Amino acid sequence: MANSRADNQSPPRKTDIAIIGAGPVGLFCVFECGMLDMRCAVLDALDAPGGQCIALYPEKPIYDIPGYPEISAGDLVEKLLAQARPFQPAFHLGQPVTSLARTATGFRLATAKGVTLDAGAVIIAAGVGAFGPNRPPLANLARFEASGAVQYLVKRRDDFANKRVVIAGGGDSAVDWALSLSPIARSLAVVHRRDKFRAAPESERRLRALAAEGHVELIVPYQLDALEGAGGKLKTVIVKSLDGKTRGIPADVLLPFYGLAQDLGPIAGFGLNLERNLIVVDPATSATSAKGVFAVGDIVTYPGKLKLILSGFAEVAQAAHAARAYLRPSEVFHFEYSTTRGLPKP
Ligand SMILES: Cc1cc2nc3c(=O)[nH]c(=O)nc-3n(C[C@H](O)[C@H](O)[C@H](O)COP(=O)(O)OP(=O)(O)OC[C@H]3O[C@@H](n4cnc5c(N)ncnc54)[C@H](O)[C@@H]3O)c2cc1C
């Protein structure tokens, strides 16, 4: 971790806990810390809170949040924001955190846009880091990305109504979106380099059934080869088989689902113990190798770690308690249930 420098133009803001990442797990930190009387500031590189839930699958239903037999990712984020609201967190969105430095009283964080924040302790909830899609290596990709003819996530399903859609990839996202979009798309083709998919078996079965009925075309084993069109408007996706045969698929939009590029970004330089690009934590406290810095959610590793929102929530409760003990070591602590304590009065 670098040493702090007073290199900021405006005076730094102050908070008890700085939370890096406003994904579902980071948002729940506000609640858990708030219940222990710690004020939070939440910083995120993206312009909207919600992390992967909002950036990658806002309309998809999630089935494994306790108490919600089914909830869309977007609605879950709304509920987490509502749960955080009584604790009045300060949000700094569109602010990638670029440095974390120890100071005499805690930590100083700085963002790429020049915001500085002083915090007593830090909770890193940065998911897969500054995430971005794995892009297919196609020559004229940028032009079609700019026009929206190539997209890496579905923000609004209805945008694809009556469109000729080509989906590339063989994982859960590719197969799930093929299932979801096929009833509304004018045509839908799935391009995958193998005839075997990595998606859930039941989803793959449904996809193959749609293909057998002629609602989806499975183009396997093929890879993306080129994009044709003019003025950013896509006309044809050219694909190539492993033995070099090419064919063109008429298309308005291409959705490559090749997973997320995992890039810890500046967090890799914070001086924390890392393992395979993840932050090593003590599962009992979510403490990292730096005293006063905790980490939760998809960004952490420990034996048995599951990359589930549910697991992230439990890690948050432990991190909040450990952060409280770190910030106020001499305080006699009385554990209270939320039912006993209630919420702050508005
Ligand atoms: C298609 C899909 C379906 C899924 N379905 C389920 C499911 O059914 N059930 C389930 O439990 N999980 C599911 N998941 C996984 C779930 O979304 C993740 O486990 C969850 O989002 C992790 O939350 P997080 O808050 O740890 O990280 P994220 O949601 O990744 O949020 C991290 C945030 O940190 C920000 N960030 C990163 N680096 C910085 C930085 N340097 N400065 C500032 N901000 C930064 C990012 O911009 C991001 O907003 C699914 C994931 C995908 C992709």
Side-chain angles (χ1 to χ4, degrees):
M1 208 174 299
N3 284 322
S4 149
R5 288 184 297 129
D7 55 358
N8 192 35
Q9 312 85 337
S10 54
R13 298 153 169 90
K14 284 196 169 79
T15 188
D16 295 323
I17 307 279
I19 300 165
I20 304 177
V25 177
L27 292 178
F28 191 54
C29 288
V30 176
F31 176 84
E32 284 292 316
C33 291
M35 292 299 272
L36 296 170
D37 289 325
M38 296 182 289
R39 290 292 298 265
C40 295
V42 189
L43 304 104
D44 202 295
L46 302 177
D47 290 330
Q52 293 175 51
C53 289
I54 292 298
L56 299 181
Y57 60 107
E59 293 185 352
K60 274 191 151 191
I62 306 179
Y63 302 104
D64 55 356
I65 303 298
Y68 290 101
E70 176 180 337
I71 184 166
S72 76
D75 285 349
L76 174 65
V77 169
E78 278 307 316
K79 299 220 177 282
L80 287 165
L81 285 167
Q83 205 170 10
R85 206 162 291 132
F87 302 99
Q88 303 180 349
F91 279 103
H92 303 285
L93 299 174
Q95 298 281 347
V97 176
T98 47
S99 76
L100 173 66
R102 204 178 278 281
T103 63
T105 52
F107 297 91
R108 179 164 292 180
L109 293 84
T111 74
K113 296 192 187 154
V115 166
T116 54
L117 179 75
D118 282 347
V122 176
I123 301 181
I124 302 177
V128 288
F131 64 80
N134 284 320
R135 294 179 152 76
L138 301 174
N140 47 2
L141 189 65
R143 203 182 324 145
F144 292 105
E145 284 178 346
S147 68
V150 174
Q151 298 180 32
Y152 300 95
L153 60 102
V154 175
K155 277 201 179 129
R156 273 191 354 124
R157 177 176 176 267
D158 289 349
D159 292 347
F160 298 87
N162 295 319
K163 295 265 166 67
R164 295 170 304 173
V165 178
V166 175
I167 287 178
D172 279 314
S173 295
V175 173
D176 287 356
W177 281 118
L179 296 176
S180 171
L181 296 180
S182 94
I184 60 166
R186 190 162 124 210
S187 66
L188 196 137
V190 178
V191 180
H192 184 39
R193 66 191 157 88
R194 296 197 295 148
D195 191 19
K196 209 168 150 23
F197 288 81
R198 281 173 286 103
E202 173 56 16
S203 307
E204 179 175 353
R205 191 199 59 73
R206 287 173 55 207
L207 180 71
R208 289 194 189 276
L210 284 178
E213 290 161 11
H215 299 304
V216 168
E217 188 181 4
L218 293 186
I219 302 179
V220 291
Y222 273 85
Q223 305 201 53
L224 299 178
D225 188 54
L227 302 177
E228 287 180 356
K233 198 168 153 35
L234 186 61
K235 204 168 146 239
T236 313
V237 174
I238 309 290
V239 294
K240 196 180 206 171
S241 69
L242 300 183
D243 52 8
K245 264 188 271 157
T246 56
R247 60 171 282 199
I249 314 164
D252 301 308
V253 61
L254 168 67
L255 297 171
F257 290 118
Y258 291 157
L260 289 176
Q262 288 214 2
D263 177 13
L264 272 188
I267 294 170
F270 287 1
L272 306 172
N273 273 1
L274 302 178
E275 209 177 276
R276 284 173 287 111
N277 235 4
L278 297 164
I279 301 175
V280 178
V281 295
D282 173 353
T285 57
S286 297
T288 69
S289 56
K291 232 172 168 340
V293 179
F294 303 84
V296 290
D298 275 14
I299 200 161
V300 308
T301 183
Y302 54 81
K305 163 70 185 169
L306 293 175
K307 286 198 179 186
L308 287 176
I309 296 169
L310 157 74
S311 310
F313 288 167
E315 291 153 17
V316 164
Q318 276 157 331
H321 280 268
R324 186 212 57 78
Y326 169 79
L327 285 181
R328 307 191 209 118
S330 52
E331 181 187 86
V332 180
F333 175 62
H334 298 289
F335 182 89
E336 282 181 311
Y337 291 122
S338 67
T339 42
T340 320
R341 191 186 156 83
L343 292 175
K345 301 270 174 295

